[in-house]
Amino acid sequence: MCIMQDIVVLTTLKMAKRHAYEAQFKLKAISYAEEHGNRAAAREFKINESMVRKWRKLENKLRQVKKTQLSFRGHKARWPELEERLERWIIEQRASGRSVSTVTIRLKAVSLAEEMNIEHFQGGPSWCFRFMKRCHFSIRTRTTIAQQLPADYKEKLAIFRSYCSKHIGDKNIQPSHITNMDEVPLTFDIPVSHTVEKKGTSTVAIRTTGYEKSSFTVVLGCHANGQKLPPMVIFKRKTLPKEKFPAEIIIKANEKGWMDEEMMKEWLREVYVRRPGGFFHASPSLLICDSMRAHLTADVKKLVKQMNCELAVIPGGLTKELQPLDIGVNRPFKVRLRAAWERWMTGGDHSFTKSGRQRRASYATICQWIVDAWANMSAGTVVRAFAKAGIISEEPHGTESDSDGEDSEPGMFDGDLAQLFNSDTEDEDFDGFN
């Protein structure tokens, strides 16, 4: 009797190892397939024909990523239709030569979300950069040269701070009478040096309105207690513009559009006099300014003395260390101006010359931007700048600041839009309205 035994042979099947291929390898396979066909490419590169077909469908994306990228992993869009419309809008803006920042993207995204009745969409910075990554956008920027400090800068810092401290202590000068003033040069039309653009684009053009040489100056002043003086604007004109300006700003004009001795004296008489008790010059004061020639003439010094004020002149090359406005105020102020300009530029309500050139914003419109931007600078930001400069020993507790980490740009617009202004554009100085 034959006993038949069933022998079961268990064969362990090894799973084929998955290979990850770099984008440059896939593009080589695509090029080969275009010339010889998908099957030939599969044999040549020892891959499945289905992979070749798949890669050919992704050719455009593969050409826009790094050569070493292995796959298109990452979070999928939660609101694909919104992002598709937003991507088309960005491409349209760039095709017209307009600059696009992350602030503009987030504003537009919130507007689209409201239009599409999408709830709980915040359009925060993290979403914005994930969106840019999904759509292969990047920020194109320039390099800047920082101000070089003098060799003996530490000694000069100590001397200046000691000088200020001595006068503040000897005359018991209150924070409301410690003032810093500075000129901010601006132009009507200087293209921003960076914009969001598709990766791999060889030419990045930005449209302007053609007023690159039209310049003017904004004179800002603030006190160590956080209060601010009205801004003064000096336009490059022989006469004052015949427009209706906001009441909260002082309008001046001269042939250079810049601070000179006469403008400095007018600032002292019309702006500086508005400090607390400034009309009667009852309280001793300290005015901090840089070493610009217009600040230091004999007539200016005489007028400053008559106002019961001591002049503290910052040594050359040290404004970024000792000037409160330069340290923590001018930058967020310019950010607000840029945000206002971007909203105006992308709004679509513009007039054009007969030759088709877009007209710049009016004097009154720009002055309103300045008033709004300056009004929305918080007292905490100003106080903090004086503390960083070493003019006051410490900032009061509980002061609200809008420049923490220099990422925050609140206050220019009401409601939830105020939360959107965490811009990538603050890493660079803003010198104009384009």
Side-chain angles (χ1 to χ4, degrees):
M1 181 177 181
C2 295
I3 299 175
M4 301 296 295
Q5 292 182 344
D6 293 332
I7 300 175
V8 179
V9 179
L10 298 177
T11 304
T12 304
L13 298 176
K14 292 184 178 181
M15 295 294 292
K17 186 177 180 181
R18 292 175 61 89
H19 292 280
Y21 300 97
E22 295 181 346
Q24 59 184 349
F25 177 87
K26 297 174 184 178
L27 289 171
K28 288 179 181 179
I30 291 170
S31 299
Y32 193 92
E34 288 175 349
E35 185 176 352
H36 301 94
N38 293 348
R39 290 185 180 180
R43 288 193 298 269
E44 176 68 20
F45 291 91
K46 297 180 174 58
I47 54 178
N48 293 329
E49 184 184 350
S50 60
M51 296 173 69
V52 179
R53 291 196 299 269
K54 180 181 177 182
W55 294 347
R56 294 188 69 173
K57 292 179 182 178
L58 298 173
E59 182 177 0
N60 290 335
K61 289 186 177 181
L62 289 169
R63 294 192 182 280
Q64 295 175 14
V65 300
K66 294 180 180 179
K67 293 181 179 180
T68 56
Q69 181 160 329
L70 299 176
S71 62
F72 294 108
R73 296 189 181 95
H75 296 290
K76 293 184 179 180
R78 184 177 175 184
W79 302 280
E81 185 180 350
L82 182 148
E83 294 195 3
E84 184 180 345
R85 290 178 59 179
L86 184 60
E87 181 182 7
R88 288 200 303 267
W89 179 83
I90 293 172
I91 292 172
E92 289 172 0
Q93 296 297 307
R94 293 299 306 126
S96 300
R98 296 188 180 96
S99 62
V100 180
S101 71
T102 54
V103 171
T104 315
I105 291 174
R106 291 159 58 195
L107 281 171
K108 184 64 177 178
V110 169
S111 176
L112 288 173
E114 292 176 355
E115 182 181 323
M116 299 169 65
N117 297 320
I118 297 176
E119 297 181 355
H120 310 302
F121 178 83
Q122 296 180 352
S126 297
W127 167 84
C128 182
F129 285 102
R130 288 197 303 269
F131 159 75
M132 289 173 60
K133 186 175 181 180
R134 283 191 290 268
C135 296
H136 308 291
F137 287 118
S138 63
I139 298 171
R140 310 291 289 271
T141 188
R142 70 178 178 186
T143 57
T144 56
I145 301 175
Q147 181 188 38
Q148 298 296 317
L149 293 173
D152 58 345
Y153 81 96
K154 289 185 178 180
E155 181 182 354
K156 289 183 176 180
L157 289 177
I159 292 173
F160 179 82
R161 286 168 176 159
S162 176
Y163 174 86
C164 292
S165 178
K166 182 178 185 304
H167 281 278
I168 292 170
D170 291 349
K171 298 186 177 182
N172 192 27
I173 301 175
Q174 299 302 307
S176 58
H177 291 85
I178 303 172
T179 308
N180 178 218
M181 65 87 64
D182 188 29
E183 297 83 7
V184 181
L186 298 172
T187 62
F188 288 104
D189 194 30
I190 289 183
V192 291
S193 61
H194 57 269
T195 180
V196 173
E197 180 61 279
K198 282 289 188 180
K199 294 180 180 179
T201 304
S202 58
T203 302
V204 182
I206 296 177
R207 190 185 71 182
T208 72
T209 59
Y211 291 89
E212 289 87 350
K213 295 183 180 180
S214 299
S215 60
F216 64 96
T217 301
V218 178
V219 186
L220 300 177
C222 54
H223 309 301
N225 68 341
Q227 292 180 322
K228 296 164 291 185
L229 292 168
M232 185 174 89
V233 178
I234 308 172
F235 288 117
K236 190 176 181 179
R237 292 171 54 98
K238 292 183 179 180
T239 59
L240 293 177
K242 295 180 180 180
E243 298 183 23
K244 187 176 181 180
F245 292 97
E248 302 89 346
I249 193 167
I250 309 298
I251 309 298
K252 298 293 178 180
N254 63 22
E255 292 186 357
K256 293 186 177 180
W258 186 239
M259 178 67 81
D260 56 18
E261 180 183 8
E262 189 59 36
M263 286 291 110
M264 182 62 187
K265 289 191 288 185
E266 291 191 26
W267 182 85
L268 290 169
R269 295 191 192 102
E270 298 183 35
V271 180
Y272 188 53
V273 75
R274 301 191 188 192
R275 71 193 187 281
F279 184 79
F280 297 103
H281 316 313
S283 303
S285 303
L286 181 70
L287 177 59
I288 302 168
C289 60
D290 58 38
S291 55
M292 183 182 183
R293 185 178 301 175
H295 301 161
L296 307 177
T297 65
D299 286 348
V300 168
K301 290 181 178 179
K302 182 180 178 180
L303 183 56
V304 169
K305 284 289 185 182
Q306 291 173 357
M307 302 177 84
N308 193 15
C309 178
E310 194 71 32
L311 196 62
V313 181
I314 299 171
L318 293 178
T319 54
K320 73 174 186 178
E321 298 288 335
L322 296 172
Q323 178 131 271
L325 281 163
D326 272 352
I327 291 172
V329 180
N330 288 348
R331 190 177 185 180
F333 170 73
K334 292 176 181 180
V335 167
R336 284 162 171 74
L337 290 181
R338 171 172 284 171
W341 181 88
E342 287 179 345
R343 291 190 64 160
W344 174 82
M345 193 68 178
T346 57
D349 298 329
H350 307 294
S351 59
F352 298 84
T353 63
K354 291 182 179 180
S355 61
R357 188 177 73 171
Q358 181 180 320
R359 291 189 175 93
R360 61 165 174 76
S362 67
Y363 292 107
T365 298
I366 290 172
C367 286
Q368 188 61 59
W369 294 344
I370 293 169
V371 168
D372 292 341
W374 190 232
N376 281 284
M377 294 297 301
S378 72
T381 295
V382 176
V383 173
R384 180 167 160 163
F386 275 89
K388 284 186 175 181
I391 307 302
I392 57 177
S393 57
E394 60 181 12
E395 59 178 299
H397 296 292
T399 55
E400 182 183 352
S401 174
D402 52 9
S403 60
D404 289 343
E406 296 188 345
D407 291 329
S408 192
E409 308 161 35
M412 184 158 185
F413 305 104
D414 295 332
D416 295 335
L417 288 181
Q419 300 176 8
L420 298 179
F421 291 97
N422 293 326
S423 175
D424 55 280
T425 62
E426 282 82 282
D427 290 337
E428 172 191 334
D429 288 337
F430 168 56
D431 297 320
F433 289 108
N434 202 349

